[in-house]
Amino acid sequence: MKKELNVLRGVLGLARRRGEYPLDPGQVLPPWDANYVPRSRVHTIEEAKKLLAALYDDERRAELAFFYVSGARHAEGKRARPRRDVDLVAGEVHLDGSKTASSTRTVPITPISRPFLELALAGLPEGQEQYRPWQNMRRDVLAACKRAGVPEVSLNDLRRSFATWHLEAGVSNVLVARYLGHTSTQMVDRVYARPSVEALKKLTDEHFASRGAASRTVGPLP
């Protein structure tokens, strides 16, 4: 059954890319691995800074900074031309996606992402549109994680970190889903929403504080 479902997902994905099927296969087909647990690894902003500092090459540091805060999938990031796609003045990042109808998107630059994107541009050699091919990216990133003393991460963990930072800052899951190129909040809620307990408590306090003391008061219980 698992093999058949994989084939069906592939067929639906191909039909969607051709414009022959309107829905996201990931939303139509339920998970078929009963033991599947979405990865939950994220870096804090401080851990991200430590990892970037542990990379020896300025261009590699710039590329990883771009992946941290653009919300780009691996292929989207590799296609990116930061000098063209990142507009610090207009406050936006354009991503050329192909996975779903909403993959090609413009992501607003936030106070969280701006310092990383400034680094992403500063480390790109003058006259160069794209980062040069990084053949041993995973190996180099894992080695830098070890030097920095931070948890090992994949590129998708950086994407998850980007989502988490914004959710912790109070950005709605609807907006975060749009940043990531998802058509609904389902994947954000299930896979990418990993705010810390401290952040949840802070957001909860701010939520009730913004609505006045009355909303925080529960009358006597029977």
Side-chain angles (χ1 to χ4, degrees):
M1 177 62 73
K2 182 176 179 180
K3 181 179 179 180
E4 287 78 3
L5 287 171
N6 277 326
V7 172
L8 177 57
R9 181 187 284 271
V11 170
L12 291 177
L14 178 60
R16 181 182 176 89
R17 288 193 292 275
R18 290 177 173 176
E20 299 167 354
Y21 183 72
L23 302 178
D24 181 351
Q27 297 172 20
V28 176
L29 294 175
W32 48 81
D33 184 353
N35 298 315
Y36 171 72
V37 177
R39 283 176 62 94
S40 59
R41 182 164 294 170
V42 300
H43 273 172
T44 65
I45 291 178
E46 290 307 311
E47 288 171 337
K49 291 178 180 178
K50 289 179 181 179
L51 174 55
L52 293 172
L55 288 165
Y56 298 137
D57 185 295
D58 287 345
E59 188 176 347
R60 300 312 190 199
R61 184 179 300 114
E63 183 172 1
L64 208 64
F66 179 83
F67 270 107
Y68 259 123
V69 294
S70 64
R73 299 177 176 91
H74 183 268
E76 294 168 349
K78 291 301 182 183
R79 281 196 299 272
R81 289 174 167 77
R83 295 200 191 284
R84 178 198 67 186
D85 297 336
V86 177
D87 189 333
L88 294 175
V89 176
E92 58 190 38
V93 180
H94 177 77
L95 294 173
D96 180 16
S98 60
K99 187 172 182 180
T100 66
S102 61
S103 290
T104 297
R105 60 200 184 275
T106 298
V107 181
I109 296 175
T110 71
I112 294 172
S113 62
R114 179 172 289 273
F116 288 85
L117 290 171
E118 289 173 347
L119 176 61
L121 291 175
L124 185 62
E126 191 67 33
Q128 191 172 309
E129 284 195 355
Q130 293 177 288
Y131 303 111
R132 70 185 189 277
W134 191 347
Q135 302 297 337
N136 298 304
M137 185 176 196
R138 177 169 173 76
R139 182 199 67 187
D140 294 346
V141 169
L142 293 179
C145 286
K146 186 174 182 180
R147 290 194 298 271
V150 300
E152 295 181 349
V153 286
S154 67
L155 282 183
N156 204 52
D157 293 331
L158 305 190
R159 191 165 139 89
R160 186 179 298 106
S161 298
F162 165 81
T164 297
W165 298 344
H166 286 82
L167 289 166
E168 289 183 341
V171 178
S172 75
N173 59 352
V174 175
L175 288 178
V176 172
R178 299 294 289 270
Y179 297 168
L180 298 176
H182 292 308
T183 55
S184 76
T185 63
Q186 180 179 346
M187 285 295 289
V188 171
D189 295 337
R190 184 166 182 261
V191 178
Y192 292 96
R194 304 292 175 183
S196 66
V197 173
E198 292 75 16
L200 286 174
K201 289 168 65 177
K202 180 175 181 292
L203 289 172
T204 300
D205 289 344
E206 290 174 352
H207 170 84
F208 285 104
S210 68
R211 284 157 176 76
S215 65
R216 302 196 303 272
T217 302
V218 176
L221 299 178

